[in-house]
Amino acid sequence: MILSETEAKNLLTKVLSHSKAESVTATLEGNNTYNIRFARNSISTNGFSDGLSVSITSSFGKKSGSVSTNKFDDASIKEAVKRSEDIAKVSPDNKEFMPPLGPQSYVSATNYSESTADLSGSERSDKAAYVIEESVKNDVTSAGYMEDGVSLYAIMNSNGLFAYNRASMAKLSSTVRTNDGTGSGRFEKNYVDVNKINNKALADWAIGRSKLSVNPAEIKPGRYTVILEHAAAADMLSLCMNYMGSRWADEGRSFFSKKGGGTIIGETIADSKLNIYSDPNDPVAPTSPFSGSGEPQQKITWFENGKLLNLHRNRFWAEKTSQPVVPYPGNVIMQGGTKTVDELIAESDNAILVTRFWYIRSVDPRTMLFTGLTRDGVFEVKDGKITRPVKNFRFNESPMNIFKNIIELGTQEKAVGSETDDYPLVVPAIKAANFNFSSLSDAI
């Protein structure tokens, strides 16, 4: 269920009116979501879900209690507020408690599309239908998922803060397998505006990749120059951002810690082609103008020409260390170059082309070392051409090692990695040296 800004404000005002706590914060979340799921070249399910819930956090001193409810009659709201207060009174002190924010100013939001909100059932099914029809024509088997909808998030507290954002999103994904079971291709895209999902180009690409990856050859693991396509690069960018917390660095627990104390902010630690920033109004990946706790999201640069400029920092740590608050960003954009993936391939004498990664897990947070697998198409590149598909690898690698060894960046686009969910990321394909494939994997 989607409420207007006025309706949301009135409802949250009612919630706060029942509070007897020293401070209280209420957040409201709603959604209308449609979906189509398909498998074995046939639509299997379609559905619609809507929801509206409010979460209430009451505080007495540094003691807090939280309750959520989706019942909005007066008695239910009053009972939910009382329960949150009862929980708070018996809770231990939160040593890192921060009082609610006061009123804030935000940039205008651009993360809502009427085209997505008004998408018809036939338009939705058409997005999936092309993938299925082309799979049948090409004698391959596809499975996938289409989802679109709108959502709202609003926050109000007893210190005068109110923020409201209405968002939209549409996403389409599909895995395409050859019928002999040895070849696979996959795409996944999400956008605020459904019109940006080019289902025909995506399906044609994935079908082509599935056929190109049949009967992969075995080559020795080791260190190679790689061309990471956008989905693979998105995972590396996202993992890096997750580990860019100021507190971990200040406490000596991070890649970004300085020997002897402090952080390495201001130091050049990556190739000069690395530029990363966040901007809630980026036209490719717009996002909410405020964080979940109501802090304003503004344009901020994380890396400039390989130099680290910022780490994210919550209110508690900012106050404790007398540094500025830097909320976790609502999106991340890595600047790219001008060349397509095909052009990066054409200029490579000896490289491995990686379509995407899968099941990535941390090995050593201090060095930002991760392990994971390649999936859905790995290819040997020789003398400017893809020469053959090769078996999947396990890798042990750090995003910062990739950023340090950048050879060239391709054009940037909105991308979804295997571990990024719906988080907005814009990333180029990355050609980098010295990537560590540690062993082979029999996965397709």
Side-chain angles (χ1 to χ4, degrees):
M1 181 181 296
I2 303 300
L3 303 185
S4 68
E5 182 171 351
T6 299
E7 291 170 329
K9 192 170 189 176
N10 289 341
L11 178 55
L12 291 175
T13 299
K14 181 190 290 185
V15 172
L16 265 61
S17 71
H18 293 295
S19 174
K20 295 181 175 61
E22 293 176 12
S23 64
V24 60
T25 298
T27 58
L28 185 66
E29 295 182 73
N31 73 284
N32 291 339
T33 306
Y34 301 83
N35 67 74
I36 289 177
R37 191 180 299 277
F38 55 99
R40 300 184 67 83
N41 293 343
S42 177
I43 289 179
S44 55
T45 63
N46 67 85
F48 167 75
S49 66
D50 66 345
L52 185 68
S53 64
V54 64
S55 297
I56 306 152
T57 298
S58 297
S59 301
F60 296 92
K62 294 187 175 183
K63 300 177 184 293
S64 297
S66 297
V67 166
S68 296
T69 182
N70 59 2
K71 296 179 180 179
F72 294 97
D73 59 276
D74 288 346
S76 296
I77 291 174
K78 189 175 182 180
E79 176 61 20
V81 173
K82 183 178 182 305
R83 284 190 180 187
S84 70
E85 294 170 349
D86 291 343
I87 293 171
K89 290 173 183 174
V90 297
S91 297
D93 281 356
N94 176 3
K95 296 179 181 177
E96 300 185 5
F97 174 83
M98 294 297 294
L101 280 173
Q104 304 290 310
S105 297
Y106 306 111
V107 297
S108 298
T110 56
N111 60 332
Y112 180 82
S113 164
E114 294 289 350
S115 296
T116 303
D118 296 337
L119 191 71
S120 68
S122 59
E123 290 172 320
R124 184 174 305 109
S125 60
D126 284 348
K127 292 287 186 185
Y130 182 85
V131 183
I132 295 170
E133 291 166 359
E134 288 303 305
S135 295
V136 172
K137 287 180 188 175
N138 284 274
D139 196 28
V140 294
T141 301
S142 63
Y145 184 68
M146 168 83 188
E147 181 180 293
D148 57 272
V150 297
S151 62
L152 80 87
Y153 183 84
I155 180 171
M156 178 181 284
N157 66 37
S158 53
N159 205 21
L161 174 75
F162 174 71
Y164 172 91
N165 180 246
R166 185 180 59 167
S168 64
M169 191 186 66
K171 59 184 179 182
L172 177 65
S173 64
S174 179
T175 299
V176 180
R177 291 287 176 90
T178 57
N179 290 332
D180 66 357
T182 68
S184 181
R186 176 181 168 80
F187 70 82
E188 182 171 0
K189 290 290 184 182
N190 64 38
Y191 295 99
V192 166
D193 184 351
V194 67
N195 293 321
K196 292 187 176 180
I197 295 180
N198 188 339
N199 60 320
K200 295 182 179 180
L202 293 168
D204 292 345
W205 179 85
I207 291 169
R209 280 302 175 85
S210 71
K211 291 182 172 181
L212 191 62
S213 61
V214 296
N215 298 319
E218 185 174 308
I219 63 173
K220 287 184 178 179
R223 291 191 176 275
Y224 289 89
T225 292
V226 291
I227 300 171
L228 304 180
E229 295 205 71
H230 297 85
D235 273 322
M236 294 298 106
L237 177 60
S238 175
L239 291 169
C240 178
M241 184 54 61
N242 289 344
Y243 278 72
M244 289 179 63
S246 175
R247 181 172 186 169
W248 304 329
D250 289 330
E251 293 180 339
R253 299 185 286 127
S254 158
F255 178 90
F256 303 102
S257 300
K258 191 171 188 175
K259 216 169 186 178
T263 74
I264 55 175
I265 288 178
E267 295 187 15
T268 299
I269 58 173
D271 185 88
S272 61
K273 289 182 280 297
L274 184 71
N275 292 282
I276 299 174
Y277 65 94
S278 297
D279 182 353
N281 283 339
D282 179 83
V284 181
T287 187
S288 172
F290 57 88
S291 70
S293 54
E295 296 146 324
Q297 294 283 13
Q298 298 173 331
K299 186 170 183 177
I300 183 170
T301 301
W302 306 101
F303 281 91
E304 184 175 74
N305 300 327
K307 180 187 289 188
L308 177 68
L309 295 186
N310 280 293
L311 298 171
H312 44 83
R313 187 177 304 110
N314 65 24
R315 292 176 60 214
F316 168 77
W317 197 247
E319 183 174 281
K320 184 177 177 66
T321 58
S322 300
Q323 299 180 83
V325 175
V326 183
Y328 194 93
N331 62 13
V332 183
I333 298 102
M334 179 173 168
Q335 288 183 343
T338 59
K339 294 178 181 174
T340 65
V341 170
D342 286 342
E343 288 172 327
L344 294 178
I345 292 171
E347 295 178 357
S348 299
D349 294 330
N350 186 7
I352 300 295
L353 174 66
V354 177
T355 301
R356 74 183 191 102
F357 294 128
W358 181 73
Y359 206 85
I360 305 169
R361 296 295 179 267
S362 174
V363 175
D364 180 9
R366 180 66 179 80
T367 58
M368 213 191 298
L369 179 66
F370 293 90
T371 188
L373 301 166
T374 61
R375 287 295 290 268
D376 300 307
V378 185
F379 305 94
E380 182 183 63
V381 175
K382 294 278 190 183
D383 300 324
K385 295 180 180 177
I386 293 177
T387 53
R388 56 178 175 167
V390 297
K391 278 191 172 182
N392 281 297
F393 293 102
R394 173 167 290 282
F395 68 87
N396 286 286
E397 192 53 277
S398 164
M400 287 310 304
N401 191 49
I402 297 169
F403 295 155
K404 184 179 177 183
N405 291 306
I406 292 172
I407 297 171
E408 185 140 24
L409 299 175
T411 53
Q412 66 189 55
E413 62 180 53
K414 187 123 188 289
V416 180
S418 65
E419 305 282 353
T420 63
D421 293 325
D422 296 330
Y423 186 77
L425 292 161
V426 179
V427 66
I430 302 173
K431 182 178 177 181
N434 205 33
F435 188 95
N436 182 29
F437 293 115
S438 55
S439 62
L440 291 171
S441 167
D442 287 329
I444 301 302

